Amino acid sequence: MDTPAAIMPNATSHAALIAAACRRIEAAQTPPSLGELAAEAGLSPHHFHRLFKAETGLTPKAYAAADQARRMRAMLAGDRTITDAIFEAGYNANSRFYEKAGQRLGMRPSDYRAGGANTDIRFAVGQCSLGAILVAGSPRGICAICLGDDPDALVRGLQDQFPRARLIGADAEFEQWVAQVVGLVETPALGLALPLDVRGTAFQERVWRALLDIPPGTTTTYADIAQRIGMPKSVRAVAGACAANRLAVAIPCHRVVRSDGGLSGYRWGVARKQALIEREATQAAA
C-alpha cells in the first residue's frame, strides 16, 4: 500500500514527483531501480510505474535507456574510446550496450562516430504543395522529412547530418514510401503507416511522443506540452525540442503554438506552418 505521501492532491503534484524522478535518473551513473525510484516518491512500485508512464509516455526503464543513449551519443562525439564511452554512459557491460546499439544509434557505434560510415541512407527529393520535400530512410525507417525552397539545400543538410554515410537514390520500394509521405503532407489526417527512425535525447523523445497525441485540425501550446510531460517550467526546452524535429508532419510540431496563439518559429518556415494548420482545420471541418 502506498504511504500517505503518495496521496497527492492534484496533477501538478504528480508532475513534480515525476519531474524529480526524471532528474534522479539523469543524474545517476547507473539507472536506479524501479523500487528505489518508487520509494523516493513515496509510492508503491506499481503506482509509480503507472504514474511515470502516464506523465512521460515512457516507462522508467525506457526513459533511463533513452538517457543513457543520449550520454553515449555525446561521448562518441568526443575523443573517448568506444569502450570508455560505454562505461561512462552507465552501461555496466559492453554486451548490454551492443544489444541495443542499433536501436538507439541507428547504426553501429563506430559508424555513428564516423558520421554514418558504412550506413546506407536512401533518399529522394520531390515536390509537394509546400515546396521541395526530401525524404530519407535508414534501415530502421524514415529518418528525415524536410521541407524547403531549395532541393539542393535539403540534400546538403542530409549530407551534413551523415557526412560519411552512403546516400543512395530511391529505388521503386522507397518511391512508394515517398508517395506515402507526400500523401501525409497533403492530407495529414490519413496518418503514416511507416516505421520512423527517431533519434533524439530522452527529453526530445518525450516531447515528440506528446506531439503525436495532438489530433489533426487542432493546436496546443508549448506550455501545455511542458505540462503533459511533467516539466511545466521547461517551455523553452519544449520549443527547442520542436525545433530539433527532423520528421516534418510525421511528428507534428507544427501543431504547437505560443500561448497567445502566435505561430512562433518553425524549422521549415512559418508560412508552411500556417498552411499546414489551415489545411488541417479545413479538412477536419469538411
Side-chain angles (χ1 to χ4, degrees):
M1 180 177 296
D2 293 343
T3 65
I7 311 297
M8 304 306 297
N10 52 48
T12 300
S13 297
H14 286 165
L17 275 182
I18 300 309
C22 290
R23 289 193 295 270
R24 168 81 164 84
I25 292 171
E26 292 163 3
Q29 180 66 20
T30 300
S33 69
L34 174 62
E36 291 171 332
L37 292 169
E40 291 173 8
L43 300 171
S44 70
H46 175 76
H47 188 184
F48 175 82
H49 187 278
R50 179 165 53 83
L51 185 61
F52 192 99
K53 187 171 184 179
E55 290 286 341
T56 68
L58 297 170
T59 66
K61 182 177 180 180
Y63 184 90
D67 186 66
Q68 277 188 311
R70 172 193 62 78
R71 283 185 274 172
M72 184 69 188
R73 284 192 292 267
M75 291 174 185
L76 285 175
D79 57 3
R80 293 174 176 81
T81 67
I82 291 175
T83 297
D84 286 345
I86 287 171
F87 284 96
E88 288 183 41
Y91 297 94
N92 54 25
N94 282 19
S95 58
R96 291 191 61 190
F97 170 73
Y98 280 103
E99 285 172 3
K100 300 292 185 180
Q103 177 182 350
R104 285 299 172 188
L105 299 180
M107 60 193 75
R108 294 180 303 175
S110 56
D111 296 339
Y112 184 90
R113 162 165 278 173
N118 303 316
T119 299
D120 291 343
I121 295 180
R122 294 180 294 172
F123 77 99
V125 178
Q127 289 289 318
C128 65
S129 61
L130 297 177
I133 181 170
L134 179 145
V135 181
S138 73
R140 291 181 53 202
I142 299 295
C143 62
I145 303 172
C146 304
L147 302 168
D149 298 315
D150 183 351
D152 290 338
L154 296 181
V155 175
R156 288 196 299 270
L158 183 66
Q159 291 172 327
D160 289 343
Q161 184 180 6
F162 299 108
R164 297 185 62 191
R166 290 186 292 264
L167 300 185
I168 302 171
D171 54 19
E173 178 186 6
F174 194 72
E175 289 286 359
Q176 292 297 315
W177 283 27
V178 175
Q180 290 188 52
V181 172
V182 172
L184 174 72
V185 172
E186 306 303 337
T187 311
L190 293 178
L192 186 66
L194 291 174
L196 300 180
D197 181 357
V198 179
R199 307 178 191 190
T201 66
F203 179 84
Q204 287 171 341
E205 290 188 14
R206 289 166 65 195
V207 172
W208 296 340
R209 286 174 184 269
L211 300 184
L212 292 172
D213 291 332
I214 308 170
T218 65
T219 60
T220 190
T221 65
Y222 298 103
D224 179 66
I225 295 297
Q227 288 281 355
R228 292 189 196 189
I229 66 171
M231 302 185 73
K233 296 182 180 180
S234 300
V235 177
R236 289 187 179 180
V238 167
C242 290
N245 171 34
R246 294 188 59 85
L247 291 164
V249 189
I251 296 178
C253 54
H254 62 277
R255 296 176 191 156
V256 189
V257 300
R258 295 197 307 250
S259 296
D260 63 3
L263 295 187
S264 186
Y266 186 52
R267 187 185 189 114
W268 298 282
V270 173
R272 290 187 178 87
K273 183 172 186 173
Q274 179 72 53
L276 282 166
I277 291 173
E278 292 177 354
R279 176 180 301 169
E280 291 183 2
T282 300
Q283 291 175 356

